[in-house]
Amino acid sequence: MNLDRLIDALPKAELHLHIEGTLEPAMMLELAKRNNVDLPYASVAEVQAAYEFNNLQDFLDIYYQGMSVLIEVRDFYDLTCAYLAKVHGDGVRHVEIFFDPQAHMERGISFETALEGITTALQAAHKEMNISSKLIMCFLRHLPEEAAFEALECACKHKEHIFGVGLDSSEAGRPPELFSRVFAEARAQGFVPVAHAGEEGPAAYVETALDDLQVQRVDHGNRAFEDPALIARMVRDQTPLTMCPLSNLRLRGIERLDQHPVKKALKVGLLATVNSDDPSYFGGYVNDNYKQVAKAVGLDAGEVVQLAKNSFAASFISNADKQKGVDAIDECVNRLQN
Ligand code: ADE
Ligand code: ZN
């Protein structure tokens, strides 16, 4: 079976996606004009030329600058609609989307402005394209705990729209346990916890995300492979992992895509998934991630189907909806074989 055709056709969920990371250069320039924001770029080519990263921090500097064009509710709405329309064509049926409210609040944009634009687009996508969604608010780990508590207080006023809390931004030197208290309060308030861990930081950060933050899913987790006991624990507990191959390549967590651990993850029985992270910045949406990593590490059709099934199993939808996702995949595979 042709792998690219299979990947295009498979129903799937995307579970690791920063909505601000879907801002395409053309939209960035358009919104800068609409909102009178000064950017150091005059053309799409100039924006793209800036996307040369040596590490996570290089990327984050550009990412926070890029999102400065998001000012009004409709900017967040347009951004989210564009992402959903794109992945609808990629077979995506369910999305679990991150947003970074502190990055907006810091520059004077209210929590509600960002939230309203994003949720209105998510509701429209459900109605018009039958894409279901959950929204996860990330705490920025480069900011102090108090700032995270402020964001949590805002989130508590909008529990009907916010499903979970995450932890993102600069990882080195900012271990998960610095946020134990705010995660404890978030869990007590009913938010489901996840965290970026082991993207650049060591395996110990994955362990403390599990132990101290009690996360139900690990974002990236690549460096967990440095600790075999930790991997054994995650296999035993079927802790979901949201891997992002093109992100890891572009941020130089790996030198070449054939070094990506996704095949190894499947082989040892981890509940691994493939996602795009910040597709506009890393050169590919979710299907590009599947295709390029499949080719680089030599995934067979069975492994690609397993990844798509894992995307539903690792999501936060009901067991009945997970089964519907898996059934839709089986139907798709049968159709392609006949
Ligand atoms: N924010 C957006 N993308 C991120 C990533 N890959 N790691 C940490 N923080 C992020
Ligand atoms: Zn991420």
Side-chain angles (χ1 to χ4, degrees):
M1 192 182 302
N2 177 288
L3 269 195
D4 284 0
R5 254 191 72 214
L6 173 66
I7 289 164
D8 283 335
L10 279 172
K12 56 185 78 70
E14 179 153 48
L15 307 178
H16 185 155
L17 182 282
H18 302 262
I19 197 63
E20 297 91 344
T22 68
L23 181 59
E24 289 288 342
M27 185 181 280
M28 189 191 291
L29 294 173
E30 189 188 312
L31 296 185
K33 201 162 149 196
R34 182 156 107 186
N35 292 325
N36 282 317
V37 175
D38 266 340
L39 284 178
Y41 319 112
S43 66
V44 166
E46 279 184 33
V47 181
Q48 281 164 340
Y51 293 178
E52 190 61 50
F53 314 118
N54 286 312
N55 52 42
L56 175 58
Q57 193 58 52
D58 276 2
F59 154 69
L60 290 169
D61 293 343
I62 296 274
Y63 166 80
Y64 292 124
Q65 179 189 65
M67 70 174 78
S68 68
V69 303
L70 300 168
I71 308 280
E72 308 286 347
V73 170
R74 74 169 171 149
D75 305 333
F76 290 92
Y77 175 81
D78 290 349
L79 176 73
T80 310
C81 285
Y83 162 71
L84 292 163
K86 164 72 181 122
V87 297
H88 180 54
D90 284 353
V92 171
R93 306 269 184 102
H94 176 72
V95 293
E96 296 185 357
I97 290 185
F98 297 126
F99 79 123
D100 283 334
Q102 289 166 265
H104 307 306
M105 291 156 78
E106 255 200 325
R107 55 188 184 84
I109 309 299
S110 75
F111 188 97
E112 282 73 21
T113 295
L115 185 66
E116 187 185 336
I118 296 167
T119 54
T120 307
L122 292 174
Q123 285 160 357
H126 191 225
K127 218 166 128 193
E128 289 156 25
M129 298 184 279
N130 202 23
I131 297 179
S132 58
S133 61
K134 299 206 182 286
L135 188 57
I136 300 174
M137 169 185 91
C138 283
F139 299 121
L140 297 184
R141 69 204 307 164
H142 70 271
L143 295 179
E145 184 193 36
E146 304 84 76
F149 269 110
E150 265 173 47
L152 179 59
E153 209 179 307
C154 294
C156 285
K157 297 183 196 136
H158 303 283
K159 282 188 181 172
E160 71 282 19
H161 293 307
I162 301 174
F163 179 80
V165 295
L167 184 64
D168 69 358
S169 198
S170 324
E171 188 180 14
R174 304 290 294 161
E177 54 271 31
L178 293 174
F179 297 90
S180 293
R181 285 184 294 209
V182 73
F183 267 74
E185 179 59 22
R187 293 194 312 273
Q189 293 290 337
F191 296 103
V192 169
V194 301
H196 284 55
E199 180 183 16
E200 279 191 347
Y205 286 18
V206 177
E207 200 162 14
T208 52
L210 293 168
D211 289 337
D212 296 19
L213 307 187
Q214 296 179 30
V215 298
Q216 295 191 20
R217 193 161 72 203
V218 172
D219 298 310
H220 294 294
N222 299 43
R223 290 192 61 193
F225 286 95
E226 293 168 18
D227 181 347
L230 175 60
I231 292 291
R233 169 187 178 178
M234 292 169 76
V235 171
R236 183 197 68 207
D237 296 344
Q238 286 294 283
T239 311
L241 267 188
T242 63
M243 301 186 122
C244 307
L246 292 177
S247 165
N248 300 149
L249 180 67
R250 293 295 290 271
L251 301 187
R252 309 204 181 196
I254 47 177
E255 267 175 51
R256 301 186 317 270
L257 207 50
D258 62 12
Q259 296 164 329
H260 197 275
V262 65
K263 190 176 174 91
K264 188 162 55 178
L266 291 177
K267 275 223 152 70
V268 300
L270 281 165
L271 187 54
T273 64
V274 164
N275 310 273
S276 68
D277 206 1
D278 301 281
S280 163
Y281 292 88
F282 302 144
Y285 284 76
V286 63
N287 285 9
D288 304 306
N289 274 272
Y290 272 79
K291 287 174 190 176
Q292 291 189 41
V293 82
K295 190 164 174 220
V297 304
L299 298 180
D300 61 26
E303 288 167 320
V304 166
V305 169
Q306 187 63 53
L307 284 168
K309 288 186 174 176
N310 287 357
S311 75
F312 290 107
S315 75
F316 294 126
I317 57 180
S318 68
N319 285 338
D321 285 340
K322 288 181 184 183
Q323 190 57 49
K324 278 187 202 159
V326 169
D327 291 345
I329 290 172
D330 286 335
E331 274 167 38
C332 168
V333 172
N334 283 335
R335 211 173 43 243
L336 288 177
Q337 277 168 343
N338 295 321

